Amino acid sequence: MTKYYDEFNVERHFDNSLAEKYDRRIRMFCPSYDALHRMILPLFQGLPNDAFFLSSGVGTGAEILSLGKIFPSWRFIAVDISTNMINACQDKTAEAHLHDRVTFLHGRLQDCKLSRPCDAASSIFVSHFIKCREEKLSYFRSISANLKIGGVLVLADLFGDKTSSEFATLMDVWLRSYALHGVSDEELMNDRNHVNSDVDFITENKLILMLDEAGFAAPIRFYQTYLFGGWVTTRVV
Ligand SMILES: C[S@@+](CC[C@H](N)C(=O)[O-])C[C@H]1O[C@@H](n2cnc3c(N)ncnc32)[C@H](O)[C@@H]1O
């Protein structure tokens, strides 16, 4: 077992009843969370009416809930390593009458080979939890392997150069923005520790190189809020 797995287990983290709290807490962490999910919609316009879409690290289903309403003939593959999150996603898509268009897969994307390639994919706030470079690359390669050539990927993650003064400033204002929700000092300290130890910040340049290695075109950054970034790219090889 690797050191990383001993220290932070993403499956256990998201399984630990987090799904119940996730939808509230993510909006405290990322003040433009709903805007991000609205901003991705036009990035997928122009795909076929019967497109097949991969939501990797689907969580409670935000991507499917917004895309499913706008694109009524699309079908979705929802992949998540956490039972708790995928169960919450099943409940939410059922409530929104979308579940008959969704196939749910419980497990790591790296272990999934889909029966057919997808027209597009999203990975929102997932890969920043994958610490080892090889594992992160393997994750991006799995997205690429499950996309058609020319398929569109929208990726969003925490990013930045931890040694830069820009990073320190953005981290500070980000945590201040989070604290404005009235979180206790203890909760703020726990969350600061969680971000410091469990998030693998990489620079945009390293991300671009890794996406290139995984078969993607140079990504375009379309979104930033504090240390959260969002990019769109396509599979080229
Ligand atoms: C922060 S949540 C994001 C959920 C959703 N995409 C959103 O925008 O709210 C990250 C999710 O990715 C899942 N996850 C992490 N690593 C994964 C992997 N390698 N394969 C599949 N799911 C993964 C976690 O279990 C968690 O549900």
Side-chain angles (χ1 to χ4, degrees):
M1 196 177 273
T2 63
K3 190 162 184 287
Y4 151 62
Y5 203 75
D6 283 332
E7 285 169 354
F8 178 67
N9 180 322
V10 76
E11 182 182 356
R12 199 165 48 227
H13 177 76
F14 281 103
D15 260 352
N16 204 9
S17 300
L18 199 65
E20 286 159 35
K21 301 182 212 150
Y22 178 79
D23 289 332
R24 180 180 59 86
R25 281 174 54 83
I26 191 65
R27 289 171 172 84
M28 290 162 61
F29 266 124
C30 179
S32 58
Y33 177 79
D34 292 308
L36 169 63
H37 283 87
R38 275 196 306 278
M39 286 167 74
I40 69 172
L41 300 176
L43 301 172
F44 294 117
Q45 261 157 5
L47 292 176
N49 284 342
D50 60 349
F52 196 48
F53 187 95
L54 166 66
S55 174
S56 176
V58 68
T60 56
E63 290 100 295
I64 295 179
L65 293 170
S66 54
L67 289 163
K69 285 178 196 142
I70 302 282
F71 301 109
S73 306
W74 284 19
R75 302 194 71 80
F76 298 90
I77 297 278
V79 182
D80 204 290
I81 200 171
S82 152
T83 317
N84 197 288
M85 292 297 251
I86 208 140
N87 286 345
C89 180
Q90 276 174 330
D91 292 346
K92 281 176 180 280
T93 50
E95 266 166 43
H97 306 289
L98 294 169
H99 59 296
D100 55 344
R101 290 159 53 198
V102 187
T103 303
F104 299 92
L105 294 179
H106 175 223
R108 293 183 339 146
L109 180 74
Q110 297 93 307
D111 303 325
C112 295
K113 181 70 189 143
L114 306 182
S115 54
R116 53 182 270 210
C118 298
D119 298 278
S122 64
S123 171
I124 297 190
F125 304 161
V126 182
S127 57
H128 56 214
F129 289 118
I130 304 175
K131 280 198 174 167
C132 148
R133 187 186 187 279
E134 282 314 307
E135 263 302 303
K136 217 189 270 280
L137 183 56
S138 144
Y139 175 78
F140 291 142
R141 284 193 167 129
S142 307
I143 299 178
S144 174
N146 285 303
L147 270 181
K148 293 178 182 169
I149 303 278
V152 181
L153 167 66
V154 166
L155 174 75
D157 268 321
L158 288 160
F159 79 112
D161 174 0
K162 274 184 119 167
T163 63
S164 70
S165 60
E166 180 183 324
F167 183 95
T169 302
L170 289 175
M171 175 68 90
D172 188 50
V173 288
W174 174 32
L175 290 174
R176 282 174 198 267
S177 132
Y178 173 61
L180 286 175
H181 292 276
V183 293
S184 66
D185 288 349
E186 189 191 349
E187 207 178 341
L188 187 62
M189 198 179 67
N190 287 342
D191 287 320
R192 182 188 285 269
N193 290 340
H194 164 55
V195 168
N196 277 330
S197 55
D198 303 330
V199 173
D200 183 47
F201 288 94
I202 60 168
T203 63
E204 186 172 50
N205 282 344
K206 282 196 177 147
L207 178 67
I208 292 170
L209 288 174
M210 245 190 250
L211 287 173
D212 176 65
E213 266 187 79
F216 290 101
I220 298 168
R221 174 146 46 94
F222 66 91
Y223 161 88
Q224 179 162 2
T225 292
Y226 304 129
L227 295 166
F228 294 95
W231 297 264
V232 60
T233 182
T234 50
R235 180 182 171 188
V236 284
V237 285

Short mmCIF file of all heavy atoms in Angstrom, two decimals, residues 8 22 61 63-64 76 82 91 94 106 108 130 136 159 164 167 181 185 196 209 224:
data_model
loop_
_atom_site.label_atom_id
_atom_site.label_comp_id
_atom_site.label_asym_id
_atom_site.label_seq_id
_atom_site.Cartn_x
_atom_site.Cartn_y
_atom_site.Cartn_z
N PHE A 8 -4.38 9.44 3.16
CA PHE A 8 -5.67 10.00 2.73
C PHE A 8 -6.32 9.03 1.75
O PHE A 8 -5.77 8.73 0.71
CB PHE A 8 -5.45 11.35 2.04
CG PHE A 8 -6.72 11.96 1.52
CD1 PHE A 8 -7.70 12.39 2.39
CD2 PHE A 8 -6.95 12.07 0.15
CE1 PHE A 8 -8.88 12.95 1.91
CE2 PHE A 8 -8.13 12.62 -0.33
CZ PHE A 8 -9.09 13.06 0.55
N TYR A 22 -22.30 17.26 1.34
CA TYR A 22 -21.47 17.73 0.22
C TYR A 22 -22.07 18.93 -0.51
O TYR A 22 -21.38 19.92 -0.75
CB TYR A 22 -21.23 16.58 -0.78
CG TYR A 22 -20.42 17.04 -1.97
CD1 TYR A 22 -19.04 17.19 -1.89
CD2 TYR A 22 -21.04 17.36 -3.18
CE1 TYR A 22 -18.30 17.63 -2.97
CE2 TYR A 22 -20.31 17.81 -4.27
CZ TYR A 22 -18.94 17.95 -4.16
OH TYR A 22 -18.21 18.40 -5.23
N GLY A 61 -23.85 14.30 -8.57
CA GLY A 61 -24.48 14.33 -9.90
C GLY A 61 -24.68 15.70 -10.54
O GLY A 61 -25.44 15.82 -11.49
N GLU A 63 -23.10 17.58 -12.68
CA GLU A 63 -22.94 17.71 -14.13
C GLU A 63 -24.15 17.09 -14.85
O GLU A 63 -24.71 17.68 -15.78
CB GLU A 63 -21.67 17.00 -14.63
CG GLU A 63 -20.38 17.67 -14.21
CD GLU A 63 -19.73 17.00 -13.01
OE1 GLU A 63 -20.33 17.05 -11.91
OE2 GLU A 63 -18.62 16.47 -13.14
N ILE A 64 -24.55 15.90 -14.40
CA ILE A 64 -25.65 15.19 -15.09
C ILE A 64 -26.96 15.95 -14.91
O ILE A 64 -27.77 16.05 -15.84
CB ILE A 64 -25.75 13.73 -14.59
CG1 ILE A 64 -24.47 12.99 -14.99
CG2 ILE A 64 -26.98 13.04 -15.15
CD1 ILE A 64 -24.40 11.56 -14.54
N PHE A 76 -25.75 9.09 -20.21
CA PHE A 76 -24.63 9.38 -19.30
C PHE A 76 -24.07 8.11 -18.66
O PHE A 76 -24.82 7.18 -18.35
CB PHE A 76 -25.10 10.31 -18.18
CG PHE A 76 -25.58 11.64 -18.68
CD1 PHE A 76 -26.92 11.84 -19.03
CD2 PHE A 76 -24.70 12.71 -18.82
CE1 PHE A 76 -27.37 13.06 -19.52
CE2 PHE A 76 -25.15 13.94 -19.30
CZ PHE A 76 -26.48 14.11 -19.65
N SER A 82 -16.85 6.33 -4.60
CA SER A 82 -17.53 6.31 -3.29
C SER A 82 -18.98 5.80 -3.43
O SER A 82 -19.76 6.34 -4.20
CB SER A 82 -17.54 7.73 -2.69
OG SER A 82 -18.63 7.92 -1.85
N ASP A 91 -30.20 8.81 -6.34
CA ASP A 91 -31.43 9.41 -5.78
C ASP A 91 -31.75 10.72 -6.49
O ASP A 91 -32.90 10.98 -6.86
CB ASP A 91 -31.26 9.70 -4.28
CG ASP A 91 -31.16 8.41 -3.46
OD1 ASP A 91 -31.49 7.35 -4.01
OD2 ASP A 91 -30.74 8.49 -2.30
N ALA A 94 -32.89 10.26 -10.06
CA ALA A 94 -34.25 9.69 -10.06
C ALA A 94 -35.28 10.80 -9.80
O ALA A 94 -36.28 10.92 -10.51
CB ALA A 94 -34.36 8.59 -9.01
N HIS A 106 -19.64 1.93 -10.05
CA HIS A 106 -18.95 2.20 -8.78
C HIS A 106 -17.52 1.70 -8.88
O HIS A 106 -17.29 0.51 -9.11
CB HIS A 106 -19.70 1.48 -7.64
CG HIS A 106 -19.00 1.60 -6.33
ND1 HIS A 106 -18.84 0.54 -5.46
CD2 HIS A 106 -18.38 2.66 -5.76
CE1 HIS A 106 -18.17 0.95 -4.41
NE2 HIS A 106 -17.88 2.22 -4.55
N ARG A 108 -12.99 3.08 -9.41
CA ARG A 108 -12.07 4.11 -9.91
C ARG A 108 -12.19 4.17 -11.41
O ARG A 108 -12.24 3.14 -12.08
CB ARG A 108 -10.61 3.72 -9.59
CG ARG A 108 -10.26 3.73 -8.15
CD ARG A 108 -8.78 3.43 -7.92
NE ARG A 108 -8.12 2.73 -9.01
CZ ARG A 108 -6.85 2.91 -9.37
NH1 ARG A 108 -6.11 3.78 -8.72
NH2 ARG A 108 -6.31 2.22 -10.35
N ILE A 130 -5.66 13.19 -6.46
CA ILE A 130 -4.77 12.09 -6.85
C ILE A 130 -3.34 12.59 -6.74
O ILE A 130 -2.91 13.44 -7.52
CB ILE A 130 -5.10 11.59 -8.28
CG1 ILE A 130 -6.58 11.19 -8.36
CG2 ILE A 130 -4.18 10.45 -8.67
CD1 ILE A 130 -7.06 10.80 -9.75
N LYS A 136 -2.00 10.21 -11.39
CA LYS A 136 -2.77 11.31 -12.00
C LYS A 136 -2.75 11.14 -13.52
O LYS A 136 -3.77 11.28 -14.19
CB LYS A 136 -2.13 12.65 -11.60
CG LYS A 136 -3.16 13.77 -11.36
CD LYS A 136 -2.47 15.10 -11.20
CE LYS A 136 -2.08 15.52 -9.83
NZ LYS A 136 -3.14 16.08 -9.01
N PHE A 159 -5.56 24.37 -8.33
CA PHE A 159 -4.25 24.36 -8.98
C PHE A 159 -3.42 25.54 -8.49
O PHE A 159 -3.95 26.47 -7.87
CB PHE A 159 -4.39 24.41 -10.52
CG PHE A 159 -4.69 25.78 -11.08
CD1 PHE A 159 -3.76 26.46 -11.85
CD2 PHE A 159 -5.90 26.41 -10.81
CE1 PHE A 159 -4.03 27.73 -12.36
CE2 PHE A 159 -6.19 27.68 -11.31
CZ PHE A 159 -5.25 28.34 -12.09
N SER A 164 4.59 30.25 -4.77
CA SER A 164 4.46 31.63 -5.27
C SER A 164 3.68 32.51 -4.29
O SER A 164 2.87 32.03 -3.49
CB SER A 164 3.75 31.61 -6.63
OG SER A 164 2.40 31.26 -6.45
N PHE A 167 -0.07 32.39 -4.98
CA PHE A 167 -0.75 31.25 -4.35
C PHE A 167 -1.12 31.60 -2.91
O PHE A 167 -2.25 31.38 -2.48
CB PHE A 167 0.17 30.01 -4.39
CG PHE A 167 -0.45 28.77 -3.83
CD1 PHE A 167 -1.10 27.86 -4.66
CD2 PHE A 167 -0.42 28.51 -2.46
CE1 PHE A 167 -1.68 26.71 -4.14
CE2 PHE A 167 -1.02 27.36 -1.94
CZ PHE A 167 -1.64 26.46 -2.78
N HIS A 181 -18.89 32.13 5.94
CA HIS A 181 -20.11 31.34 6.12
C HIS A 181 -20.36 31.01 7.60
O HIS A 181 -21.25 30.23 7.91
CB HIS A 181 -20.03 30.04 5.31
CG HIS A 181 -20.07 30.28 3.83
ND1 HIS A 181 -21.25 30.42 3.14
CD2 HIS A 181 -19.09 30.44 2.92
CE1 HIS A 181 -20.99 30.64 1.86
NE2 HIS A 181 -19.69 30.67 1.70
N ASP A 185 -13.77 28.31 14.36
CA ASP A 185 -12.30 28.32 14.20
C ASP A 185 -11.76 26.91 14.05
O ASP A 185 -10.85 26.65 13.27
CB ASP A 185 -11.64 28.99 15.42
CG ASP A 185 -11.87 30.49 15.40
OD1 ASP A 185 -12.34 30.99 14.35
OD2 ASP A 185 -11.62 31.13 16.43
N ASN A 196 -4.31 21.54 2.87
CA ASN A 196 -2.84 21.50 2.82
C ASN A 196 -2.30 20.09 2.63
O ASN A 196 -1.34 19.88 1.90
CB ASN A 196 -2.24 22.10 4.10
CG ASN A 196 -2.20 23.61 3.99
OD1 ASN A 196 -2.06 24.16 2.89
ND2 ASN A 196 -2.33 24.28 5.11
N LEU A 209 1.23 19.79 -19.54
CA LEU A 209 2.14 18.72 -19.98
C LEU A 209 1.52 17.34 -19.77
O LEU A 209 1.61 16.46 -20.62
CB LEU A 209 3.48 18.81 -19.22
CG LEU A 209 4.38 19.98 -19.61
CD1 LEU A 209 5.59 20.05 -18.71
CD2 LEU A 209 4.83 19.85 -21.08
N GLN A 224 -11.81 30.67 -13.44
CA GLN A 224 -10.98 30.65 -12.23
C GLN A 224 -11.71 31.34 -11.09
O GLN A 224 -12.31 32.41 -11.27
CB GLN A 224 -9.62 31.34 -12.45
CG GLN A 224 -8.79 31.31 -11.17
CD GLN A 224 -7.31 31.56 -11.36
OE1 GLN A 224 -6.85 31.80 -12.46
NE2 GLN A 224 -6.56 31.49 -10.27
#
